[in-house]
């Protein structure tokens, strides 16, 4: 009976469904659909996330409010870090599905959801040409449920979109390379106009999203292939002449406009500061030693971490094959560059993951040596164990009873279900093992994010907004005058929720008292309570404490904020 049940589960999770979907474009489309569906509940359930997501979102909201689609500002502060691409995509998403006044976070996350879907599609599309549709479909499905891609897919920032465009760029390049690499001087050249167009459009897209990352990965791959193959003639088939002109036509107008609009200060901020800080030291405290990204692979690549040993064996044993060589040239130089960069964050290596996923997918058809199987088990188990420990720690520090079920689900999926899949892979039951690992990846991620959504002390801005609504002091209700003033808490999530004019007072107790005198609601963080009360007494104001909100900001620091309103009572 158990055997029948197990086989039934396998058939539901994979079997003929995946084989049928592998035909033509159905494999890439299935991978894209899976990536979108896995991340969609997370994008819907999680409140706005400080700080990076809300900085992008608030800047996009201000573009719609001011009708200035060139400059990038968060309130009155210019944001000279990234180009305008992600903001235009977010503006388009909000215009098509919502309104800026609703302050709904989901429409701003749609470009990231679609970017992750594009990454899975492109991964499957490129691998299908290089290795066949069956392996291509497996690669796309595996990438779709990878922990880091699924996570970036529900954040309204650049990384999922960048990953999608880079993966599309590299999948197009791989096909051009494989079609023309071994052609002789007299061999007819394939035309490939649409393939080249997709390649150059993807290059332009990466530039408008992050300027340097896409071209850096492209250059590192090309230089590696040139040195390894000792062939450069095939690169003539890229049609660099009209391709670079197309890139210039797409990217040039905004770059010229922002240069004029900011008197060149955008470049000072984006290149002279943001990029320079990242390569000169650990920018914004995000430093790390070489080996940082390698150590994180079991987590960021989960559940594909269960194939890392096989990927390594495949890369070594089949490195002379053109498609395998391309995957190595895509992944390894970029990964080394990220490892050598002083500034490190877990998602930085995501645009190179598509190549590693290719190798993981190919390895499923390779008879693995014992060391490769052992590395699979080690990496997969470590990934599941660390994710489980993080989930348990989060519950212990910030959780309530309603989050416990999600912790159990995380541990069950990341360890029990994934270990079952890994055991089946060890026993050479590839289809069954792959199916269970896909299921483990999906359930682990959904459970992990569901738990995060229930860690209520982490969502201070949401609690502040609720306090205003409950006390009938929300200016959006038309009862109290606005804007809301707040001292000691300056997270962009609160600005996005309450509106661009929200007054962040930093350490200005006098400003808080002035806002109270005008009848506006004021939040005061406990560290500034004495200064606020002293200024209020000096001004003859008696603040009325309405409620207190306690929680932990985005980096886990305790915060307690009191909501004050003005009353007719004036001290004598």
């Amino acid at each position: 009976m158990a055997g029948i049940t197990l086989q039934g589960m396998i058939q539901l999770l994979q079997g003929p469904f995946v084989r049928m979907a592998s035909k033509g474009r159905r494999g890439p489309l299935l991978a894209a659909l899976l990536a979108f569906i896995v991340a969609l509940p997370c994008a819907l359930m999680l409140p706005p996330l400080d700080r990076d997501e809300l900085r992008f979102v608030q800047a996009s909201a201000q573009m719609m409010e001011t009708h200035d689609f060139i400059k990038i500002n968060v309130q009155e502060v210019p944001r000279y870090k990234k180009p305008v691409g992600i903001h235009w995509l977010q503006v388009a998403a909000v215009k098509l599905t919502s309104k800026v006044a609703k302050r709904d976070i989901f429409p701003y996350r749609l470009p990231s959801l679609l970017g992750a879907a594009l990454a899975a599609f492109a991964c499957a599309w490129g691998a299908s040409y290089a290795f066949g549709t069956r392996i291509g479909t497996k690669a796309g499905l595996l990438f779709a449920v990878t922990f880091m891609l699924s996570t970036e897919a529900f954040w309204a920032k650049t990384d999922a979109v960048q990953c999608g465009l880079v993966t599309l760029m590299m999948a197009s390049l791989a096909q051009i390379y494989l079609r023309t690499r071994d052609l002789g001087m007299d061999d007819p050249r394939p035309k490939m106009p649409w393939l080249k167009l997709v390649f150059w459009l993807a290059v332009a897209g990466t530039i408008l999203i992050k300027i340097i990352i896409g071209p850096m990965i492209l250059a590192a791959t090309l230089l590696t292939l040139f040195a390894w193959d000792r062939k450069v003639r095939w690169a003539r088939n890229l049609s660099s002449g009209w391709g670079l002109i197309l890139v210039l036509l797409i990217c040039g107008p905004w770059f010229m406009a922002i240069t004029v609009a900011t008197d060149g200060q955008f470049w000072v901020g984006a290149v002279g500061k943001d990029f320079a800080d990242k390569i000169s030291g650990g920018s914004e405290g995000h430093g790390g030693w070489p080996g940082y990204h390698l150590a994180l692979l079991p987590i960021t690549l989960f559940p594909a971490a269960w194939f890392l040993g096989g990927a390594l064996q495949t890369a070594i044993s089949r490195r002379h094959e053109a498609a395998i060589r391309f995957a190595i040239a895509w992944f390894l130089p970029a990964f080394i560059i990220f490892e050598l960069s002083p500034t490190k964050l877990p998602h930085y290596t995501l645009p190179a993951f598509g190549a590693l996923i290719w190798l993981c997918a190919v390895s499923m058809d390779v008879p693995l040596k014992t060391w490769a199987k052992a590395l699979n088990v080690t990496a997969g188990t470590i990934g599941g164990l660390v994710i489980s420990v993080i989930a348990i720690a989060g519950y212990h520090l910030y959780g309530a009873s309603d989050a416990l079920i999600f912790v159990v689900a995380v541990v069950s999926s990341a360890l029990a279900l994934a270990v079952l899949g890994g055991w089946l892979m060890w026993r050479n039951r590839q289809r069954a093992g792959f199916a269970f690992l896909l299921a483990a990846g999906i359930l682990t991620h959904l459970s992990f994010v569901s738990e995060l959504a229930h860690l209520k002390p982490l969502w201070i801005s949401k609690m502040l907004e609720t306090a205003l609504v409950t006390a009938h002091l929300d200016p959006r209700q038309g009862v109290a005058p606005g804007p809301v003033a707040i001292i000691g808490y300056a997270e962009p999530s609160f600005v996005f929720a309450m509106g661009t004019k929200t007054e962040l007072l930093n350490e200005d107790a006098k400003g808080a008292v002035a806002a109270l005198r005008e009848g506006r609601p004021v939040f005061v963080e406990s560290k500034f309570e004495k200064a606020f009360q002293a200024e209020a007494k000096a001004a003859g104001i008696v603040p009325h404490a309405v409620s207190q909100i306690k929680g932990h900001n985005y980096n886990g620091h305790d915060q307690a904020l009191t909501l004050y309103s003005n009353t007719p009572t004036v001290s004598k």
Side-chain angles (χ1 to χ4, degrees):
M1 188 69 172
I4 294 173
T5 303
L6 179 63
Q7 188 64 32
M9 291 177 64
I10 293 168
Q11 290 176 352
L12 285 172
L13 290 167
Q14 195 195 37
F17 179 60
V18 171
R19 287 200 302 273
M20 184 174 66
S22 297
K23 297 177 181 178
R25 291 287 176 266
R26 278 179 282 182
L29 289 173
L30 178 61
L33 181 62
L34 180 61
F36 188 89
I37 290 175
V38 168
L40 179 61
C42 308
L44 289 169
M45 77 173 76
L46 274 182
L49 296 163
D50 286 310
R51 291 181 175 163
D52 278 358
E53 176 179 55
L54 268 301
R55 287 168 175 164
F56 284 109
V57 166
Q58 178 60 29
S60 298
Q62 287 181 218
M63 283 186 172
M64 288 179 276
E65 291 169 343
T66 63
H67 304 288
D68 182 349
F69 301 101
I70 302 299
K71 294 180 182 178
I72 305 171
N73 298 305
V74 176
Q75 290 192 301
E76 301 300 322
V77 180
R79 185 163 169 79
Y80 300 148
K81 289 179 176 288
K82 303 292 188 294
V84 77
I86 191 63
H87 299 290
W88 284 351
L89 292 175
Q90 290 177 354
V91 166
V94 174
K95 292 281 190 181
L96 289 171
T97 64
S98 184
K99 295 181 179 179
V100 64
K102 286 188 175 181
R103 287 327 212 213
D104 181 10
I105 189 63
F106 177 71
Y108 296 87
R109 289 172 169 168
L110 275 173
S112 293
L113 284 167
L114 295 174
L118 176 61
F121 176 93
C123 181
W125 177 55
S128 294
Y129 182 84
F131 308 108
T133 54
R134 184 175 56 84
I135 291 177
T137 300
K138 286 184 176 181
L141 294 175
L142 190 59
F143 199 21
V145 304
T146 297
F147 200 85
M148 184 51 65
L149 181 63
S150 295
T151 299
E152 290 299 331
F154 64 78
W155 276 13
K157 51 194 188 79
T158 56
D159 298 288
V161 176
Q162 177 75 357
C163 179
L165 290 169
V166 169
T167 307
L168 182 65
M169 174 183 74
M170 299 306 291
S172 305
L173 179 65
Q175 296 184 54
I176 296 171
Y177 170 75
L178 294 173
R179 292 183 187 196
T180 62
R181 171 180 179 265
D182 295 321
L183 293 179
M185 289 290 292
D186 299 326
D187 293 329
R189 303 283 164 178
K191 298 296 183 182
M192 307 177 293
W194 289 106
L195 197 56
K196 296 176 186 178
L197 179 62
V198 169
F199 170 75
W200 286 110
L201 287 175
V203 171
T206 68
I207 294 171
L208 277 177
I209 296 296
K210 273 197 171 181
I211 301 180
I212 193 66
I213 299 300
M216 181 272 288
I217 292 175
L218 175 60
T221 303
L222 289 174
L223 290 174
T224 302
L225 289 173
F226 293 160
W228 200 349
D229 288 342
R230 298 183 181 179
K231 295 178 181 180
V232 298
R233 188 180 294 116
W234 69 268
R236 298 175 184 175
N237 297 285
L238 293 175
S239 298
S240 301
W242 67 259
L244 290 173
I245 292 173
L246 179 64
V247 171
L248 185 61
L249 289 174
I250 293 172
C251 301
W254 181 80
F255 284 124
M256 292 177 63
I258 194 65
T259 301
V260 173
T262 65
D263 199 20
Q265 290 303 302
F266 171 80
W267 298 104
V268 174
V271 179
K273 180 167 177 56
D274 187 55
F275 180 70
D277 287 351
K278 283 180 170 61
I279 62 175
S280 63
S283 178
E284 298 179 352
H286 301 307
W289 291 97
Y292 171 96
H293 292 296
L294 183 63
L296 286 180
L297 271 183
I299 307 161
T300 55
L301 208 65
F302 186 86
W306 280 93
F307 301 99
L308 279 176
L312 181 59
Q313 178 185 316
T314 300
I316 294 171
S317 64
R318 297 175 58 176
R319 64 188 181 278
H320 299 298
E321 298 177 21
I324 299 296
R325 181 171 293 192
F326 182 90
I328 296 170
W330 171 7
F331 175 75
L332 192 58
F335 194 82
I336 291 173
I337 291 171
F338 289 123
E339 283 285 27
L340 294 178
S341 172
T343 302
K344 292 180 173 67
L345 283 171
H347 62 264
Y348 279 7
T349 53
L350 183 59
F353 276 10
L356 190 54
I357 294 293
W358 284 9
L359 296 173
C360 290
V362 172
S363 75
M364 295 182 212
D365 289 347
V366 175
L368 296 184
K369 297 179 180 179
T370 302
W371 68 262
K373 289 185 175 182
L375 183 55
N376 281 349
V377 172
T378 301
T381 303
I382 289 174
L385 184 62
V386 172
I387 291 171
S388 299
V389 169
I390 293 172
I392 293 169
Y395 173 74
H396 177 71
L397 292 172
Y398 311 117
S401 57
D402 59 349
L404 180 59
I405 187 173
F406 299 111
V407 178
V408 174
V410 170
V411 176
S412 300
S413 304
L415 290 178
L417 193 59
V419 167
L420 175 58
W423 176 78
L424 290 169
M425 295 293 297
W426 183 285
R427 296 294 301 272
N428 295 318
R429 297 180 64 181
Q430 305 294 340
R431 285 169 47 190
F434 179 68
F436 275 99
L437 286 171
L438 279 185
I442 295 169
L443 295 175
T444 297
H445 189 263
L446 288 176
S447 303
F448 189 91
V449 176
S450 297
E451 181 202 348
L452 181 61
H454 283 78
L455 302 182
K456 295 178 182 178
L458 297 179
W459 310 114
I460 293 179
S461 293
K462 186 176 181 180
M463 290 189 286
L464 296 178
E465 184 179 5
T466 300
L468 285 167
V469 173
T470 302
H472 301 290
L473 291 173
D474 188 341
R476 296 171 301 180
Q477 297 174 317
V479 179
V484 177
I486 188 165
I487 179 171
Y489 183 81
E491 300 303 337
S493 56
F494 188 64
V495 176
F496 175 70
M498 302 311 302
T500 301
K501 294 182 179 180
T502 301
E503 192 173 9
L504 305 180
L505 295 170
N506 296 320
E507 301 180 8
D508 184 9
K510 286 185 178 180
V513 172
L516 202 64
R517 176 177 287 157
E518 295 170 6
R520 295 190 280 133
V522 176
F523 284 102
V524 179
E525 211 281 327
S526 58
K527 293 180 181 178
F528 303 94
E529 188 68 40
K530 289 184 179 180
F532 170 72
Q533 292 293 347
E535 291 291 344
K537 183 176 181 180
I541 299 291
V542 178
H544 172 61
V546 178
S547 60
Q548 188 176 63
I549 293 86
K550 293 183 178 180
H552 311 275
N553 65 12
Y554 85 107
N555 53 16
H557 294 162
D558 295 342
Q559 292 209 281
L561 294 109
T562 302
L563 171 60
Y564 287 100
S565 69
N566 200 356
T567 67
T569 305
V570 180
S571 61
K572 296 181 180 179

